[in-house]
C-alpha cells in the first residue's frame, strides 16, 4: 500500500501540525502493521519500508539517518514493544462478549468488564457479582479487562509451566524448571516476579524522567532556535537594507566625484593639447625657414666667387647666427601625463561613509599618513595613497575611548608581527612588539579563563537549572574588573609610545617620498631624451628630400663653373676658417 512512497516527509513543523497518533505510521497514516525500528528510533510499517534499502543501508524517511539492514528482506527488525502496544490497542477496541450470559459490551463500557485469569474468560459486572462470588470461585484471579494476563506471558513456552522468577542477568522470566536448569552463580541474579516488577517500574520511572528532561531541553532548544531563526531573518533584512542604503550613497558620491574627475581630465587634456599645438605650430613655421637658409648657403657656396663671397658671406653668417640665437621652444614645456589622483579622490569621498579616520599629511601631496594606516599604495606621479583601517567598536567610559580608533587584533596582525621579529633587526619598534606580544598573550589567557567560567555558569543555570553561589559570581566580577584595569594600563603604555614611533615613521616616509621623487625624475629625464631623439629622427627624415634636391642642383651647376679646383678648395678652406673665427 505504502511501499511505493519514496519521497521524504515534510519538515518537523508540518509533523507537529499533523498531531500524529503514536500508534499510526507516519508514511501511510494507518495503524502500524509489523512495525520496524530503525537505528534512529523511528518506526514505520514493514510494507512502507520495503524496497527502500540500497547497498545494505536504509535511510530514514523522516530524519535521513542511515540504518544498517541485514538479511534478504532488506528490512530492519520488528519492534516488539510497539507491536505489543498495537495488539493491546486492537484488543481493547474489539467487542467483548461475556462468557456467562453472552452479553456484548460496547466500547464505551469496557471499563465495567472484568476478566478471570483462572478461567481465561471475560465477565460482565452482573455475572461477576452473581456467579463468581461462590466459594468454588474464591481462588480465581479476577481483574479488570484492561489488566488481564495473556496466556503468552503466563506460561513458559518450553516447559508449559507458569513463570515464577525473573533473571536480571538475562532479562527474561523463568519457570521452576528453567530455574532448576540454571547454574549456581546465575541463580544469584534471579528474583521473584513481583520484586522484578517493582524494580522494573522504578528503573522505568528513572528512564522516563531522563526522557522528560531531554524533552524539556529539546522544546527549549526548539523555541530558542525558532527565535534565533527569526532574529537571523530580521538581522539579514536590516543588514541588506543597510548595505543597499550605503551602496546607494556610495554610488551617488562616486558618481558625483566621477563627473568632477572626468571634467578635470578633460580640462587638463585641452590645456596640454593647446600648448603642444602652439609649440608644434611654431616649430612647423621654423623648419621651412631653416631649410631655405641651408639651401641658400649651399647654393651661395657653389655659385659665388671670392669677391662675391667676401662681399655677401659675412652678411649671410650674421643672419644664420641671429636665427640660431632666437628663442626657440624645442623641448616640451610640460609632460604628456594626465594625473587626476582618482584613487585618492575616490577614497576621500568614501571616508565619511565608511567612518574612516581622517588622514594627516606629512610631505606635500605625498598622501595621508597617520594612526590607523594599514598599508600604502603608490600611485603614478609620485602620489602615495594610504589604506585606512575600519574601526571597531570603541570602549565606553574610559581613557581608551578618547584615543584614535583602532581595529581589533587579528591573525594578520599576529603573522605580520612574527615576520617582523623573524627578520632579526633590533629596532625600537621590534622590541616594543616583542614586549607587547608577551603581555597580550598573558592578558588573553586570563580573559579566556574568565570566559570559560562564565560559560560554565551559564550552562549550569540554563541547562541543569542548578543554583549558583553568589560568591562565585562576585569573584568572577572582581577578576573582570581587575582585568579591565590591567588592559587599560597596558593600552595607556602602548599609547604613550605613539609620539616616539611617529617621529621614526615621519622620517621614514620623508625618505621614501624623496626616493619616489628622484625615481620619477629619472623616468621623466629618460622620456624627455626619447622625445628629443624622436624629434631628431623626424627632422632628419624631413631634411632628406631637400638634401637630395640640393645635390641635383649642384650637379647641374658644376659644368657651368669651370673654375680651377684649387681656388675652390682654397675658397672652401677660407670659408671654414671664417666660420671658425666667427664662432670663436
Amino acid at each position: 500500500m505504502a511501499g511505493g512512497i519514496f519521497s521524504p516527509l515534510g519538515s518537523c513543523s508540518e509533523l507537529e501540525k499533523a498531531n500524529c497518533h503514536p500508534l499510526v505510521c507516519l508514511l501511510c497514516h494507518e495503524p502500524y502493521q509489523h512495525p520496524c525500528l530503525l537505528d534512529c528510533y523511528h518506526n514505520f510499517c514493514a510494507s512502507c519500508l520495503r524496497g527502500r534499502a540500497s547497498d545494505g543501508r536504509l535511510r530514514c524517511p523522516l530524519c535521513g539517518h542511515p540504518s544498517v539492514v541485514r538479511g534478504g528482506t532488506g528490512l530492519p527488525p520488528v519492534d516488539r514493544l510497539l507491536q505489543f502496544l498495537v495488539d493491546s490497542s486492537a484488543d481493547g477496541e474489539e467487542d467483548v462478549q461475556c462468557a456467562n450470559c453472552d452479553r456484548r459490551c460496547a466500547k464505551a463500557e469496557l471499563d465495567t468488564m472484568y476478566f478471570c485469569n483462572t478461567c481465561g474468560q471475560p465477565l460482565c459486572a452482573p455475572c461477576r457479582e452473581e456467579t463468581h462470588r461462590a466459594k468454588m470461585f474464591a481462588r480465581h484471579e479476577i481483574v479488570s479487562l484492561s489488566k488481564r494476563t495473556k496466556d503468552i506471558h503466563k506460561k513458559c513456552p518450553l516447559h508449559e509451566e507458569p513463570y515464577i522468577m525473573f533473571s536480571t542477568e538475562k532479562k527474561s522470566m523463568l519457570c521452576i524448571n528453567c530455574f532448576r536448569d540454571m547454574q549456581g552463580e546465575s541463580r544469584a541474579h534471579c528474583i521473584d516476579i513481583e520484586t522484578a516488577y517493582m524494580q522494573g517500574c522504578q528503573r522505568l520511572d528513572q528512564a522516563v524522567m531522563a526522557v522528560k528532561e531531554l524533552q524539556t531541553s529539546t522544546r527549549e532548544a526548539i523555541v530558542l532556535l525558532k527565535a534565533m531563526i527569526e532574529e537571523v531573518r530580521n538581522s539579514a533584512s536590516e543588514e541588506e537594507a543597510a548595505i543597499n542604503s550605503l551602496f546607494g550613497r556610495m554610488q551617488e558620491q562616486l558618481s558625483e566625484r566621477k563627473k568632477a574627475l572626468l571634467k578635470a581630465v578633460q580640462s587638463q587634456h585641452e590645456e596640454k593639447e593647446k600648448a603642444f599645438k602652439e609649440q608644434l605650430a611654431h616649430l612647423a613655421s621654423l623648419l621651412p625657414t631653416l631649410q631655405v637658409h641651408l639651401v641658400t648657403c649651399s647654393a651661395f657656396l657653389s655659385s659665388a666667387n671670392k669677391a662675391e663671397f667676401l662681399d655677401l658671406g659675412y652678411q649671410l653668417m650674421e643672419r644664420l647666427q641671429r636665427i640660431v640665437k632666437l628663442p626657440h621652444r624645442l623641448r616640451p614645456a610640460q609632460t604628456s601625463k594626465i594625473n587626476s589622483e582618482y584613487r585618492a579622490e575616490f577614497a576621500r569621498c568614501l571616508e565619511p561613509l565608511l567612518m574612516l579616520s581622517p588622514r594627516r599629511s606629512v610631505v606635500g601631496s605625498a598622501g595621508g599618513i597617520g594612526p590607523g594606516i594599514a598599508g600604502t599604495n603608490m600611485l603614478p606621479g609620485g602620489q602615495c595613497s594610504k589604506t585606512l583601517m575600519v574601526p571597531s567598536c570603541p570602549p565606553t567610559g574610559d581613557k581608551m575611548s578618547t584615543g584614535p580608533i583602532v581595529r581589533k587584533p587579528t591573525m594578520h596582525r599576529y603573522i605580520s608581527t612574527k615576520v617582523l621579529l623573524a627578520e632579526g633587526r633590533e629596532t625600537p619598534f621590534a622590541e616594543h612588539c616583542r614586549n607587547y606580544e608577551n603581555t597580550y598573550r598573558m592578558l588573553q589567557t586570563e580573559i579566556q579563563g574568565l570566559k570559560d567560567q562564565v560559560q560554565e555558569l551559564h550552562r549550569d543555570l540554563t541547562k541543569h537549572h542548578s543554583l549558583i553561589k553568589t560568591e562565585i559570581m562576585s569573584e568572577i566580577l572582581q577578576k573582570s574588573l581587575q582585568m579591565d584595569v590591567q588592559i587599560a594600563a597596558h593600552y595607556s603604555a602602548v599609547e604613550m609610545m605613539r609620539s616616539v614611533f611617529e617621529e621614526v615613521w615621519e622620517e621614514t616616509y620623508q625618505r621614501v617620498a624623496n626616493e619616489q621623487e628622484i625615481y620619477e625624475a629619472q623616468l621623466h629625464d629618460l622620456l624627455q631624451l626619447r622625445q628629443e631623439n624622436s624629434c631628431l629622427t623626424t627632422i632628419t627624415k624631413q631634411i632628406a628630400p631637400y638634401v637630395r634636391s640640393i645635390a641635383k642642383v649642384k650637379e647641374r651647376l658644376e659644368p657651368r663653373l669651370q673654375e680651377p679646383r684649387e681656388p675652390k678648395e682654397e675658397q672652401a678652406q677660407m670659408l671654414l676658417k671664417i666660420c671658425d673665427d666667427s664662432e670663436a
Side-chain angles (χ1 to χ4, degrees), residues 299-305 308 553-554 556-565 568:
F300 178 75
L301 289 175
S302 301
S303 60
N305 54 24
E308 294 172 345
V553 171
K554 185 177 181 181
R556 294 194 193 103
L557 294 177
E558 280 182 354
R560 299 178 183 179
L561 302 176
Q562 296 296 335
E563 295 182 1
R565 188 173 183 84
K568 287 185 177 182

Side-chain angles (χ1 to χ4, degrees), residues 412-422 433-434 436-437:
H412 177 72
R413 192 270 307 166
Y414 177 75
I415 295 175
S416 301
T417 305
K418 285 293 185 183
V419 173
L420 177 63
L421 296 179
C433 291
R434 192 177 293 107
Y436 172 84
E437 289 298 327

